[in-house]
Amino acid sequence: QVQLVESGGGLVQPGGSLRLSCAAFGLRLNYYTVAWFRQAPGKEREGVSCISTTAGSTRYADSVKGRFTISRDNAKNTVYLQVDSLKPEDTAVYYCAASLGYRSHPTLRSSDYDKWGQGTQVTVSS
């Protein structure tokens, strides 16, 4: 059974950090372009970051540039999102998503991804 499983979310104070993980089961993640999305209550889903199969290309939403870092460990079949300098407006459910194949310019369009995890909650509050 193909699954993407996110973990690493939690409650953190403003300025804090977390490392989110997206582990893949039933598929070889190294063949997939992977992205992180987030959705806050009452808001539309937002693309946060994405990474190509070889990790040679990454992309970030303007709202997280300089604070979030995406990476992948294909040997562990896992993609990570290091989230630093967290702000209350980063509070959301964070989802990872995957799309088969290499993209030289991966996108943050949710319609480009067909495999999704169930999400992990990140809450930034003092």
Side-chain angles (χ1 to χ4, degrees):
Q1 185 178 358
V2 173
Q3 274 188 304
L4 297 176
V5 180
E6 301 94 336
S7 62
L11 173 63
V12 63
Q13 291 185 343
S17 298
L18 291 169
R19 189 174 81 156
L20 308 183
S21 298
C22 171
F25 300 90
L27 61 88
R28 292 288 303 273
L29 202 57
N30 55 302
Y31 295 128
Y32 288 78
T33 298
V34 178
W36 286 93
F37 293 82
R38 68 185 180 185
Q39 189 164 20
K43 294 189 176 181
E44 292 188 356
R45 187 170 293 182
E46 173 191 20
V48 173
S49 182
C50 54
I51 187 167
S52 63
T53 54
T54 61
S57 182
T58 59
R59 188 167 186 170
Y60 297 91
D62 288 343
S63 57
V64 307
K65 278 181 184 175
R67 301 189 297 121
F68 289 12
T69 304
I70 193 169
S71 62
R72 65 191 304 156
D73 185 337
N74 287 336
K76 294 184 177 180
N77 224 26
T78 300
V79 170
Y80 303 98
L81 186 68
Q82 178 69 37
V83 296
D84 298 319
S85 303
L86 282 163
K87 305 175 182 179
E89 51 263 43
D90 294 318
T91 295
V93 178
Y94 284 70
Y95 301 89
C96 69
S99 173
L100 181 63
Y102 172 75
R103 293 175 186 260
S104 59
H105 300 287
T107 76
L108 293 177
R109 286 191 301 267
S110 59
S111 59
D112 286 345
Y113 298 87
D114 60 348
K115 292 179 173 42
W116 291 80
Q118 292 190 327
T120 185
Q121 175 72 46
V122 172
T123 302
V124 185
S125 175
S126 54

